[in-house]
Amino acid sequence: MSKLPTPDKLIATIPAFPMEGWMDTKPDFKPGTWCYPAKVDNMKALGMPNPHEWSADQEDWNLPENWEEIIYEGLKSRLAKHRSLKVFMDICVRCGACADKCHFFIGTGDPKNMPVLRAELLRSVYRRDFTTAGKLLGKLAGARKLDKDVIKEWFYYFYQCTECRRCSLFCPYGIDTAEITAIARELLHELGLGIHWIMEPVFNCNRTGNHLGIQPHAFKEIVEFLCEDIETVTGIKINPPFNEKGHEIVFITPSGDVFADPGIYTFMGYLMLFHEIGLDYTLSTYASEGGNFGSFTTFDMAKKLNAKMYAEAERLGSKWILGGECGHMWRVVHQYMDTFNGPTPPKMEVPRSPITGTVFKNAASTKMVHIAEFTADLIKHNKLRLDPSRNDHLTVTFHDSCNPARGMGLLDEPRYVLQNVCNNYVDMPENTIREQTFCCGGGSGLNTDEIMEIRMRGGLPRGNALRYVQQKHGVNTMACICAIDRATLPPLANYWAPGVTVYGTHELVANALVMRGEQKRTMDLRQEELPGMEDE
Amino acid sequence: MFISLLAVIALGCIAWLGAASGFQYLIGVVLPYAAVLVFIGGFVWRMVDWAKSPVPFRIPTTGGQQKSLDWIKPARLDSPFTTAGTVGRMLLEVLLFRSLFRNTSVEIQKGPRVVYYSAKWLWLFALLFHYCFLLIFIRHFRFFLEPVPFALTAIEFVDGIMQIGVPRMFMSDVLVVAALGFLLARRLFSEKVRYISLANDYFPLFLLLGLVGSGIWMRYFAKVDIAAVKVLTMGLVTMNPVLPEGIGAAFFIHIFLLSCLLAYFPFSKLMHMGGVFLSPTRNLPNNTRAVRHVNPWNPPKKYRTYAEYEDEFRELMEEAGLPVDKTSEEAAAAE
């Protein structure tokens, strides 16, 4: 990993626009700007086309011999399959409204990170091959010939897009760069170009049921270990069910929550909540991943990994699925899952909270409920005893993850939950939250350390908004509802707003949750002293 | 940029020379018919061509709170759950440029501080251009209808209410030039927009400026024989074309540029007019979990089944006390 510049230096080195036109500039594959290639073995095991050895910093990427044909045919078939792509290739007027909406453009100053130019990288090839004007007029009509440098450029810039869709919100025609990036990445995968940080989790998820490759026995062990920590903090012993048939609900969350700090505290929070309300649920080791890195490779891979959720609900005889805090998981669940793998198994039912009786009509077909919806409903119906003063040492703000914000509209539920479990809550400035939220800089499988400088640059708008509320309101806590955020926001906060700690929303819920039979809480879930709650 | 400007100037010259050297019938009658045919045919072809590709996924960009719990207020238009809400969202988008209204501009200041400014100029001038153009389009129906309906006279009265000059100056003429000027100036002077602009971004701007300019010149300065023009235009709409004597060259330049615009339209970015209606991030409701969306090419399910998973991990699962569908003995007996 290359060394990170200081924040001041990073900003000072945002370059001016180049003099040459964008078709005449090439990306510089400096260390820290590109992701490591996927392992050939993983690509082979998943049946991905043309697996081969290559690396972005080398001159020759060892593309398959007929690579031009592969791209031409690949683009042609996708134009026929996705109206979105076809329309988005044709109707952009280059008004530039999207230009400064992209966190990567703001942080890198690289014109090709303006969403419009990111799309033009593909559009220029499309014009040349699929439009008459492009064939006749060439560069004059914004068309260019596909060559190996174009492929390199695609790789560089379509892996500097986190598919956050902020540009799409501002586009007068709703042109969605996430859609264009997803399809461009599909094309790159057809040439055997994938990245390790995405392909390894995909491989693992297919085999072991989760991105981290945790095998069933280890999964159970880790969760039981977390239960011991819960007992230390609360004095209550929880024995969560695994792979058990006949429970009403299957609970699925990103495996990052089981494995990585601070996600584990969020996971402990879920278990404590379920225990307290007596929820009839089971965990599954087979479907132990809510996230879906497949969705960062191809639509088919996303479908393949997602299929386990319904399959497991059917095998276990559960009525509906409750989903944990995660960003892209919810993009897939909310907008793709039912289309991919529905209709749901016949024995599944429209989700109904067994505690409050609320029927989640908004999930009537997909039969999967977001935990923020579920918990907000519990709190609204006064089903939880909460002592928010346990979080009084925290001044909390909330980071809307891109996918739940712009691919779902889950904005008020988590805020309602947070405002009920924390007494000190403030939002960041309005241009940086809710549907206008900024990416953490590491979405869509880019949360890998070898591109830390790019991540920090992309994290500038988010980090700066955080620093603003830190200085103005004394914010020391950023809550989120996303496992990738829990991995990416701590380094971001350290870099741009040191002193702010990142929490999952349900960790804060569990801190405030008054459980029947619990011992006096003197520690939070991280086993740090609760100020004012020490032994009196 | 210069190529686009030269192209439009060249088109103007062609029309002028043509009108002066006996091609008046071609420019005034044949080309307009051809252009209208190309426009309609091309427009329909483009729409059909787009519509032929299916919409595999329902992917609205949600611009506000979803509909979930009864007591949480949903954003009915920015994140519509129903068809009515979606129609409302589209109307806001098409009639009022809702998304562009959100526009901000960003600046990194010392500190560092990333600051966002409201930036509604583009929205304002884009809206101004489109509505003025629409108004001018409607006003032109005076040349295709006899008698001229009262509504048209009323529009003209309001449009010319400032009562400046003879003939009266239409506000829409002034504003459309101002709006086009703004859009052009943005392309030339905003670093970001200049960098992304292609010849096919400048060309329609110059073409429109040429079209509007020739119209203004004809009405206010050259003062062509309006009665003769109307004889020609009425002849065109009644499919009984005649070419009266004495129409000035300005008119032929105007109608030639219009023909160019019509013929160019379906094959250019101007098709955003039709395309916006087909944008899947705007024209679909945010109700994917409530109502299943069907993908016509949904591939068959292929995934690692639980049975395959258990086969690989059975012994480890049994050791850990996890339930299994088939015990090791059963699995061994089955082999």
Side-chain angles (χ1 to χ4, degrees):
Chain A
M1 191 170 66
S2 56
K3 206 171 167 295
L4 266 184
T6 62
D8 287 337
K9 197 159 169 222
L10 185 142
I11 286 179
T13 53
I14 295 176
F17 271 33
M19 295 302 287
E20 317 91 71
W22 65 266
M23 283 193 197
D24 303 319
T25 60
K26 288 180 192 172
D28 177 9
F29 286 90
K30 285 185 298 195
T33 59
W34 51 275
C35 303
Y36 299 149
K39 282 188 202 153
V40 172
D41 287 348
N42 286 348
M43 299 276 279
K44 276 188 186 152
L46 290 162
M48 302 292 288
N50 297 308
H52 66 274
E53 297 286 347
W54 68 284
S55 178
D57 57 343
Q58 286 165 4
E59 183 54 35
D60 187 355
W61 287 15
N62 304 321
L63 299 182
E65 216 153 274
N66 59 338
W67 65 274
E68 285 158 299
E69 188 192 336
I70 295 174
I71 294 292
Y72 176 80
E73 292 298 331
L75 186 53
K76 192 175 167 189
S77 79
R78 281 162 184 85
L79 287 165
K81 281 161 85 178
H82 298 270
R83 185 181 302 166
S84 54
L85 178 67
K86 208 166 178 177
V87 171
F88 296 162
M89 285 295 104
D90 285 329
I91 64 170
C92 176
V93 301
R94 285 162 297 282
C95 72
C98 59
D100 57 2
K101 308 304 179 285
C102 174
H103 51 285
F104 281 124
F105 174 67
I106 295 172
T108 65
D110 186 336
K112 287 181 198 173
N113 271 330
M114 295 191 286
V116 45
L117 265 196
R118 200 186 308 283
E120 290 286 314
L121 300 179
L122 182 61
R123 239 178 237 135
S124 52
V125 171
Y126 160 80
R127 287 196 193 102
R128 160 96 186 188
D129 287 344
F130 296 93
T131 70
T132 316
K135 275 178 201 155
L136 293 177
L137 299 174
K139 202 171 167 179
L140 193 58
R144 64 172 172 172
K145 192 178 167 337
L146 177 68
D147 60 25
K148 287 186 179 177
D149 283 333
V150 171
I151 298 294
K152 290 182 179 177
E153 197 179 42
W154 283 1
F155 178 79
Y156 191 84
Y157 290 104
F158 289 118
Y159 285 92
Q160 275 184 37
C161 165
T162 47
E163 306 184 357
C164 81
R165 306 178 103 202
R166 192 168 189 269
C167 49
S168 160
L169 180 76
F170 291 91
C171 175
Y173 317 115
I175 295 174
D176 182 5
T177 307
E179 195 75 355
I180 293 169
T181 294
I183 287 167
R185 287 190 187 181
E186 279 203 0
L187 292 172
L188 290 169
H189 278 99
E190 293 226 350
L191 298 179
L193 307 173
I195 69 167
H196 177 67
W197 191 259
I198 292 175
M199 206 53 72
E200 177 93 354
V202 171
F203 171 79
N204 284 337
C205 189
N206 181 53
R207 176 169 171 253
T208 67
N210 56 68
H211 288 158
L212 296 160
I214 309 168
Q215 299 189 4
H217 58 294
F219 190 89
K220 180 167 181 258
E221 239 169 64
I222 296 169
V223 173
E224 283 169 349
F225 188 72
L226 297 179
C227 289
E228 284 170 25
D229 282 358
I230 293 175
E231 192 174 4
T232 308
V233 174
T234 66
I236 293 173
K237 179 87 187 102
I238 298 175
N239 291 307
F242 294 90
N243 300 357
E244 284 181 13
K245 294 186 181 178
H247 293 287
E248 186 177 355
I249 294 162
V250 190
F251 177 67
I252 302 177
T253 197
S255 62
D257 284 353
V258 184
F259 190 74
D261 189 318
I264 49 172
Y265 309 114
T266 310
F267 194 86
M268 287 156 69
Y270 304 141
L271 296 183
M272 288 161 66
L273 175 72
F274 300 158
H275 176 85
E276 176 60 21
I277 60 176
L279 194 69
D280 181 23
Y281 77 104
T282 182
L283 300 169
S284 163
T285 61
Y286 166 67
S288 49
E289 181 59 65
N292 193 327
F293 270 42
S295 68
F296 307 142
T297 62
T298 65
F299 287 105
D300 287 353
M301 191 61 80
K303 174 180 164 124
K304 178 184 169 87
L305 299 185
N306 176 264
K308 289 182 183 185
M309 292 194 187
Y310 282 151
E312 187 66 339
E314 182 166 35
R315 187 183 75 88
L316 298 175
S318 297
K319 290 181 186 165
W320 54 280
I321 307 172
L322 182 60
E325 298 178 10
C326 183
H328 72 281
M329 158 184 174
W330 275 98
R331 175 89 199 280
V332 174
V333 169
H334 185 73
Q335 296 198 324
Y336 294 95
M337 175 164 172
D338 210 355
T339 303
F340 279 155
N341 292 309
T344 46
K347 290 203 176 138
M348 288 182 78
E349 293 173 9
V350 176
R352 177 182 167 279
S353 170
I355 317 301
T356 65
T358 299
V359 178
F360 293 91
K361 282 177 281 194
N362 63 322
S365 179
T366 301
K367 301 182 177 64
M368 187 152 173
V369 173
H370 193 289
I371 186 125
E373 297 167 342
F374 181 76
T375 305
D377 175 64
L378 290 173
I379 295 173
K380 182 75 181 176
H381 287 87
N382 267 322
K383 298 293 180 188
L384 301 180
R385 280 196 298 155
L386 297 166
D387 177 5
S389 72
R390 289 180 191 162
N391 289 323
D392 271 357
H393 57 299
L394 308 177
T395 302
V396 182
T397 193
F398 177 66
H399 165 70
D400 290 275
S401 308
C402 314
N403 285 297
R406 286 183 288 266
M408 188 177 180
L410 183 96
L411 307 170
D412 285 330
E413 297 88 343
R415 283 183 172 76
Y416 179 80
V417 171
L418 285 170
Q419 284 166 354
N420 275 281
V421 300
C422 306
N423 286 322
N424 314 313
Y425 178 85
V426 281
D427 262 322
M428 286 178 278
E430 64 166 338
N431 292 111
T432 68
I433 55 165
R434 299 178 71 91
E435 70 273 8
Q436 296 195 36
T437 189
F438 272 107
C439 180
C440 61
S444 83
L446 302 186
N447 51 325
T448 177
D449 284 354
E450 70 257 25
I451 55 163
M452 195 51 98
E453 181 174 337
I454 291 292
R455 281 173 51 189
M456 290 305 117
R457 286 183 181 276
L460 167 63
R462 169 45 73 231
N464 199 259
L466 178 61
R467 199 169 100 116
Y468 177 78
V469 286
Q470 181 188 30
Q471 290 176 340
K472 189 166 179 198
H473 302 289
V475 164
N476 58 11
T477 300
M478 177 146 67
C480 62
I481 45 164
C482 172
I484 287 184
D485 282 333
R486 287 189 276 277
T488 56
L489 290 177
L492 177 142
N494 259 341
Y495 190 79
W496 289 115
V500 177
T501 312
V502 175
Y503 285 72
T505 296
H506 277 76
E507 179 183 356
L508 296 170
V509 170
N511 275 338
L513 184 69
V514 180
M515 299 174 74
R516 270 160 297 187
E518 70 179 7
Q519 66 196 24
K520 180 175 162 47
R521 298 258 197 115
T522 57
M523 295 183 288
D524 65 10
L525 294 191
R526 303 183 182 202
Q527 304 198 18
E528 285 162 13
E529 296 268 311
L530 281 175
M533 306 277 174
E534 303 91 349
D535 294 317
E536 284 146 22
Chain B
M1 200 273 289
F2 290 110
I3 291 175
S4 302
L5 180 60
L6 289 175
V8 174
I9 291 172
L11 289 174
C13 291
I14 290 171
W16 182 63
L17 285 173
S21 52
F23 291 101
Q24 297 191 346
Y25 194 80
L26 179 71
I27 296 171
V29 177
V30 179
L31 284 181
Y33 275 132
V36 168
L37 285 178
V38 170
F39 175 76
I40 295 172
F43 200 102
V44 170
W45 169 73
R46 287 307 293 273
M47 294 298 280
V48 169
D49 188 47
W50 282 331
K52 272 196 298 197
S53 293
V55 180
F57 305 110
R58 195 184 300 155
I59 51 165
T61 307
T62 53
Q65 172 61 39
Q66 65 165 352
K67 178 174 161 47
S68 61
L69 299 162
D70 290 341
W71 47 273
I72 292 179
K73 190 168 169 273
R76 287 178 210 283
L77 292 170
D78 284 330
S79 185
F81 188 78
T82 59
T83 307
T86 312
V87 170
R89 184 183 202 189
M90 285 305 293
L91 286 176
L92 278 185
E93 201 62 88
V94 172
L95 299 180
L96 294 173
F97 302 175
R98 166 75 181 103
S99 293
L100 210 48
F101 188 70
R102 286 195 180 93
N103 198 24
T104 55
S105 74
V106 71
E107 194 180 289
I108 302 178
Q109 298 176 347
K110 281 210 167 111
R113 264 188 74 190
V114 185
V115 186
Y116 308 88
Y117 297 99
S118 165
K120 302 212 190 299
W121 291 111
L122 176 59
W123 171 82
L124 181 69
F125 280 96
L127 205 63
L128 206 57
F129 163 71
H130 283 86
Y131 275 103
C132 285
F133 200 76
L134 177 67
L135 195 67
I136 293 170
F137 175 72
I138 292 172
R139 274 207 278 99
H140 276 69
F141 276 84
R142 109 162 350 264
F143 296 101
F144 303 109
L145 298 169
E146 188 59 49
V148 175
F150 173 72
L152 270 182
T153 324
I155 288 174
E156 283 175 351
F157 175 75
V158 175
D159 202 357
I161 205 155
M162 306 272 280
Q163 304 198 6
I164 299 171
V166 181
R168 276 190 193 164
M169 186 194 77
F170 288 134
M171 285 181 289
S172 53
D173 286 350
V174 177
L175 291 176
V176 84
V177 172
L180 283 167
F182 175 84
L183 295 176
L184 181 62
R186 243 184 115 251
R187 284 217 182 271
L188 292 174
F189 300 117
S190 159
E191 183 185 43
K192 291 193 275 282
V193 188
R194 187 172 65 232
Y195 199 75
I196 58 178
S197 292
L198 301 169
N200 30 349
D201 295 317
Y202 291 110
F203 180 72
L205 279 175
F206 287 127
L207 190 58
L208 284 164
L209 278 170
L211 179 67
V212 171
S214 60
I216 289 173
W217 181 41
M218 174 167 76
R219 174 178 162 85
Y220 300 102
F221 303 105
K223 300 193 177 159
V224 295
D225 181 352
I226 281 291
V229 168
K230 182 143 185 180
V231 171
L232 188 148
T233 51
M234 286 307 293
L236 287 175
V237 282
T238 53
M239 295 292 169
N240 188 18
V242 281
L243 188 70
E245 289 291 311
I247 303 178
F251 169 76
F252 288 98
I253 295 175
H254 189 63
I255 199 161
F256 184 73
L257 292 179
L258 174 68
S259 301
C260 291
L261 180 70
L262 285 172
Y264 174 72
F265 196 104
F267 311 100
S268 71
K269 68 168 193 174
L270 302 177
M271 271 307 286
H272 66 265
M273 176 182 174
V276 64
F277 291 95
L278 296 182
S279 179
T281 63
R282 292 291 185 275
N283 70 5
L284 292 166
N286 177 28
N287 65 354
T288 344
R289 271 190 296 156
V291 182
R292 179 165 185 254
H293 181 84
V294 177
N295 173 2
W297 51 263
N298 198 19
K301 277 193 215 184
K302 270 187 268 172
Y303 61 100
R304 185 164 144 101
T305 62
Y306 176 79
E308 291 169 299
Y309 169 86
E310 194 184 283
D311 282 346
E312 181 174 350
F313 297 113
R314 181 169 295 111
E315 279 162 33
L316 292 164
M317 291 172 78
E318 284 177 328
E319 266 174 48
L322 288 165
V324 287
D325 281 358
K326 245 192 241 175
T327 62
S328 291
E329 292 85 50
E330 284 166 350
E335 268 176 25

